[in-house]
Amino acid sequence: MTINKKLRNEAIYHRVNLIGYENNLIRESLKLLDIVDKELTAQLYVALEGMSPSDFKISRLESMLASSKSLKSVTDYLLGELNLLSEHESSYQYSLFESLLPDIVKSKYPLMQIPPSQIFTAVKAKPFQGRLLSEWASNIEDDRLKRVANAVRTGYVTGETTEQIIRRVRGTKKNNYRDGILEASKRNVSSVIRSAVSHTAAIARESFGNANSDIIKGKQWLSTLDTSTTPMCIIRDLKQYTLDNQPIGHDIPYGDGPGKLHFCCRSVETFILKSYRELGINIDEAPSGTRASMDGQVPAKTSYLEWLQAQSKERQEQILGVERARLLRNGEIAPENFFTRDGHVLTLNELKSQELIN
């Protein structure tokens, strides 16, 4: 197996693990958001109880909401995790290449590792989907307060009681509070978290590639091909680009790149290494198993299902769960059911422990 193919396999596996990590961040963030929502609705109840319809003014309500506890706890938690993820991604990219490159290449072209602080600074300074991370947090907060204010105003206009207005805002217990207008904030937070994790991983990958351009000649787009894949990612699957994002052999623009092309983008990319000859190393390519092959070739087209079938039993079980992995190996399950198992979550420590080359 060539090093380029190994890099492609690890890029796909790493993205699978990042999805698990995203799920964990969302779960923990929603716990914090639940606390914030409870406090907001408690304050809202007190304010509405002391306000008669004749006293109601939207400006007074907005002032009260603005002074209530905001989403700062959620934002602080996310920034802290992205800081740690920047450190992990810096180490991951370096360790991956360190483990795969032959000594003859590393001796001539020492690998450069990007400082995590540099990655995290870029994560905060570079926009995704048109806004900085801080701006997305502020936008969610503003949207949340406007939704609450509009719900209260509608309640007053239609003559609802305080309890009815609170239910409109918070939702009902029997529906696990998913029928209130605050539920939209949870969906927004989830989308921003998924995009922020992809944004962080993409910046780390891009920074590493640029710093080691002496051994890397390009990159290849890898889309997750399933029923949820967007057309814009489908048309870019397996397309090649230079390190400065110029198309190679086609005219489809790179856009914001894999993981950042749209909200919740699951695409990744793999680097294309130069061959021994292109690196000025005067040796022939050796058969796989006798020496790591660096032929500079791009791996052939492989679907996600084909990739999954070629992985170790341990990886299959980690992605699908034990029973579905068994069904996969026995050919007893339809391809459309081969997705990351429900509830799959990873902490950062678990993410680190699974990033092993095997």
Side-chain angles (χ1 to χ4, degrees):
M1 182 184 293
T2 67
I3 295 178
N4 277 334
K5 187 171 183 178
K6 289 181 179 179
L7 284 173
R8 192 261 316 271
N9 285 345
E10 293 306 316
I12 296 172
Y13 180 60
H14 186 55
R15 181 58 193 141
V16 169
N17 281 336
L18 283 178
I19 290 174
Y21 177 62
E22 290 168 5
N23 291 341
N24 182 70
L25 291 191
I26 290 171
R27 182 183 63 176
E28 296 302 315
S29 295
L30 293 186
K31 288 180 182 178
L32 293 173
L33 190 55
D34 279 339
I35 295 173
V36 173
D37 287 348
K38 288 177 182 178
E39 293 188 5
L40 183 145
T41 50
Q43 292 185 25
L44 183 60
Y45 187 90
V46 171
L48 295 181
E49 278 292 276
M51 188 186 304
S52 66
S54 60
D55 294 333
F56 175 73
K57 291 183 179 179
I58 196 66
S59 58
R60 179 181 171 187
L61 175 65
E62 290 176 342
S63 177
M64 183 277 295
L65 292 175
S67 65
S68 67
K69 186 172 182 180
S70 68
L71 297 180
K72 188 175 185 302
S73 59
V74 179
T75 303
D76 288 347
Y77 169 71
L78 178 58
L79 286 174
E81 284 290 329
L82 293 180
N83 189 11
L84 294 174
L85 181 62
S86 297
E87 181 178 343
H88 170 70
E89 290 298 297
S90 171
S91 176
Y92 169 75
Q93 292 294 339
Y94 179 83
S95 298
L96 176 62
F97 277 73
E98 178 68 25
S99 67
L100 293 179
L101 288 179
D103 290 338
I104 191 172
V105 174
K106 291 186 289 188
S107 63
K108 186 173 182 179
Y109 300 95
L111 287 172
M112 301 292 293
Q113 183 172 5
I114 310 303
S117 59
Q118 181 177 325
I119 295 174
F120 187 52
T121 297
V123 167
K124 293 184 293 183
K126 293 184 177 182
F128 61 94
Q129 297 304 304
R131 288 192 177 104
L132 300 176
L133 181 59
S134 59
E135 293 173 333
W136 277 117
S138 176
N139 182 70
I140 291 175
E141 175 74 356
D142 291 343
D143 178 72
R144 177 171 169 269
L145 296 182
K146 287 179 182 177
R147 287 176 183 273
V148 173
N150 288 337
V152 174
R153 177 163 43 194
T154 299
Y156 266 110
V157 170
T158 57
E160 291 181 342
T161 64
T162 297
E163 287 75 12
Q164 288 173 320
I165 293 175
I166 293 299
R167 284 197 296 271
R168 179 190 291 272
V169 172
R170 175 78 169 139
T172 59
K173 186 175 182 179
K174 71 175 183 178
N175 289 318
N176 202 23
Y177 302 106
R178 290 176 181 162
D179 50 346
I181 59 95
L182 288 175
E183 180 66 19
S185 295
K186 295 179 180 180
R187 293 193 294 269
N188 291 342
V189 166
S190 297
S191 294
V192 168
I193 288 175
R194 292 197 186 281
S195 297
V197 169
S198 294
H199 174 65
T200 302
I203 284 179
R205 187 173 59 242
E206 177 185 16
S207 300
F208 180 85
N210 291 336
N212 293 279
S213 59
D214 47 358
I215 63 171
I216 299 172
K217 65 179 180 181
K219 48 195 179 183
Q220 184 182 39
W221 192 295
L222 302 175
S223 298
T224 302
L225 299 180
D226 58 32
T227 55
S228 299
T229 308
T230 64
M232 63 179 69
C233 284
I234 290 175
I235 64 172
R236 288 171 170 80
D237 185 42
L238 299 181
K239 294 292 187 291
Q240 296 179 44
Y241 296 88
T242 63
L243 285 180
D244 59 355
N245 307 330
Q246 297 304 307
I248 299 176
H250 61 91
D251 59 0
I252 300 175
Y254 187 75
D256 288 334
K260 300 195 293 181
L261 188 62
H262 57 82
F263 261 120
C264 303
C265 180
R266 297 171 298 155
S267 295
V268 294
E269 63 191 359
T270 182
F271 290 122
I272 305 170
L273 297 180
K274 298 176 181 178
S275 67
Y276 284 126
R277 298 292 186 186
E278 289 171 319
L279 291 173
I281 301 175
N282 192 28
I283 60 175
D284 293 324
E285 296 297 332
S288 178
T290 59
R291 182 173 63 222
S293 176
M294 289 184 62
D295 59 9
Q297 298 301 305
V298 177
K301 182 176 178 63
T302 301
S303 69
Y304 178 79
L305 176 58
E306 291 169 331
W307 171 84
L308 189 56
Q309 289 174 317
Q311 299 308 295
S312 66
K313 176 183 177 182
E314 291 74 21
R315 281 194 176 181
Q316 291 174 349
E317 291 180 350
Q318 183 251 319
I319 294 168
L320 296 172
V322 174
E323 179 59 18
R324 285 204 285 176
R326 182 189 68 79
L327 294 173
L328 166 66
R329 291 190 295 274
N330 294 342
E332 299 177 30
I333 188 171
E336 60 267 22
N337 293 323
F338 290 113
F339 300 110
T340 302
R341 66 184 187 274
D342 293 341
H344 178 58
V345 295
L346 289 176
T347 65
L348 188 57
N349 286 336
E350 290 169 335
L351 177 65
K352 292 178 180 178
S353 71
Q354 293 184 1
E355 300 295 4
L356 302 174
I357 311 301
N358 58 31

